[in-house]
Amino acid sequence: MQRSVRTACAAAGLPELTLAEGLAGLERSLQENPTALVLVDLGAEAQIELSRLAPLILRHADARVVLLSPVLESALLLEAMQLGVRHCVQKDAVERDLPGVVRRLGEVERPASGFAASGRGVTVIPARGGSGATTLAINLAAELYHLSGQPTLLADADVHYGSISSYLGLKARYGLADVLSSDSTLDSALISSTATVHSEGLHVLVSPVSIDFDQPAPLELGRLPRMLETARQLYPWTICDLPRAPLPATAAAARHCAVTLIVFQLSVHDVRSARALRQALESAGVDPSAILMAANRFRRRGQMVSLEDARQAVSVRAGER
């Protein structure tokens, strides 16, 4: 594994690696370099090892932690996301996937504004309408607020319905469209002053449809990546609910986030759509290890696709989660 890691890092322009001896050695290294890129080689008991690492990762929140795991199971990925791990890479794909991860993390740690941009983003994309993606995005944002103890930014990029403000009972005069239309002044102050504050620790950039349903302002989705990068200066987590957007805009947003959730129900149509969407995102340059498939509304009346059949159907390559 060390050989594969060194090959991948050299390909990314990072030839020098330092091997830390155990948790104590890693602690000393991070005390000397708090923003270091840390590659953690997990063994067969990956989730147990991650739990042992958790206190150290939480103490050094600015470190850029990447997990190398034999398998990428949903439970492991969710725990890693909650801890603030930047990426997870499957070991048998290290030489293929790790160089891109290393390059992106190097770029992320050098924001043009000069501010420390240590927050992380999650893009939530439904495979089809009615999959419950917006509800999942709201619940995820609320959960991350409770875990971090700091407000979470929730961006509603739905150009048709804008349900988040309705679900949360918000009324706003300004929202996401106003932030994205101000290209020259898109900074942290604009985001913080435009977001509507909800009592449950959520700061919301509402959809233009929520402000004016008859004549909503256009969303300049091409500027969404810049907004996501700027939000990282303010919030530990930014959740972007992004349904019905053109694929280039969706992929661009996903590439600027630590995790992309594709939400689908266990129906034949949803499973097919979820697989096609995942393939399209990967073809557009989204890191495969950052894509998490979320089967929503697991039980209901009537025949549904089994969870195992859905897992096999939406996996693009053999052996993936």
Side-chain angles (χ1 to χ4, degrees):
M1 178 51 58
Q2 286 189 34
R3 178 182 297 177
S4 296
V5 170
R6 289 184 183 278
T7 299
C9 289
L14 186 69
E16 297 298 327
L17 294 178
T18 301
L19 184 63
E21 296 293 338
L23 291 179
L26 182 56
E27 181 83 56
R28 288 193 295 271
S29 296
L30 288 175
Q31 288 174 351
E32 295 174 0
N33 185 3
T35 63
L37 173 64
V38 179
L39 306 178
V40 180
D41 185 2
L42 298 177
E45 300 293 334
Q47 197 159 357
I48 294 176
E49 293 181 30
L50 180 57
S51 297
R52 292 171 181 163
L53 276 166
L56 185 147
I57 295 174
L58 291 172
R59 282 196 301 274
H60 300 279
D62 291 333
R64 295 164 289 161
V65 179
V66 177
L67 301 181
L68 311 178
S69 176
V71 293
L72 296 180
E73 297 177 341
S74 298
L76 175 72
L77 291 169
L78 287 173
E79 183 174 355
M81 183 176 71
Q82 291 168 355
L83 290 173
V85 171
R86 300 300 179 92
H87 279 280
C88 299
V89 178
Q90 194 160 323
K91 285 187 178 182
D92 60 10
V94 161
E95 292 191 24
R96 182 192 66 217
D97 294 342
L98 187 57
V101 171
V102 170
R103 282 192 291 267
R104 281 190 292 275
L105 287 178
E107 294 170 358
V108 161
E109 291 303 311
R110 296 188 295 272
S113 64
F115 289 94
S118 59
R120 298 165 181 88
V122 179
T123 307
V124 181
I125 309 169
R128 282 164 53 89
S131 63
T134 296
T135 302
L136 189 151
I138 294 172
N139 289 335
L140 176 61
E143 183 67 17
L144 290 171
Y145 159 66
H146 288 297
L147 287 169
S148 68
Q150 299 179 57
T152 299
L153 180 64
L154 186 56
D156 188 352
D158 186 350
V159 298
H160 293 287
Y161 300 109
S163 302
I164 289 178
S165 59
S166 297
Y167 290 164
L168 297 178
L170 299 177
K171 292 184 178 180
R173 294 180 59 189
Y174 304 101
L176 183 58
D178 300 286
V179 171
L180 297 183
S181 65
S182 302
D183 185 46
S184 60
T185 58
L186 204 171
D187 55 20
S188 56
L190 177 64
I191 292 175
S192 61
S193 62
T194 305
T196 301
V197 178
H198 185 266
S199 60
E200 293 300 321
L202 302 181
H203 292 190
V204 184
L205 291 174
V206 303
S207 164
V209 182
S210 304
I211 299 172
D212 188 343
F213 188 85
D214 292 330
Q215 295 181 322
L219 275 180
E220 301 290 343
L221 293 177
R223 296 171 183 164
L224 191 57
R226 180 177 172 185
M227 188 281 292
L228 292 169
E229 287 297 312
T230 305
R232 295 176 63 248
Q233 302 167 16
L234 287 171
Y235 299 93
W237 290 100
T238 297
I239 312 299
C240 183
D241 184 26
L242 188 58
R244 308 174 187 87
L247 178 62
T250 301
R255 289 194 297 268
H256 283 74
C257 288
V259 177
T260 295
L261 291 176
I262 297 179
V263 185
F264 64 101
Q265 295 189 56
L266 293 176
S267 67
V268 173
H269 289 307
D270 272 38
V271 169
R272 287 176 177 171
S273 297
R275 177 181 173 84
L277 179 55
R278 176 174 180 166
Q279 289 176 319
L281 290 175
E282 290 190 14
S283 297
V286 179
D287 184 357
S289 67
I291 300 175
L292 180 62
M293 311 301 292
N296 200 22
R297 298 180 181 176
F298 181 66
R299 289 184 174 86
R300 71 176 185 183
R301 293 181 180 179
Q303 187 67 31
M304 301 183 75
V305 176
S306 73
L307 188 59
E308 183 56 35
D309 286 344
R311 188 195 309 276
Q312 294 178 10
V314 299
S315 294
V316 176
R317 294 184 298 271
E320 288 191 337
R321 63 188 183 280

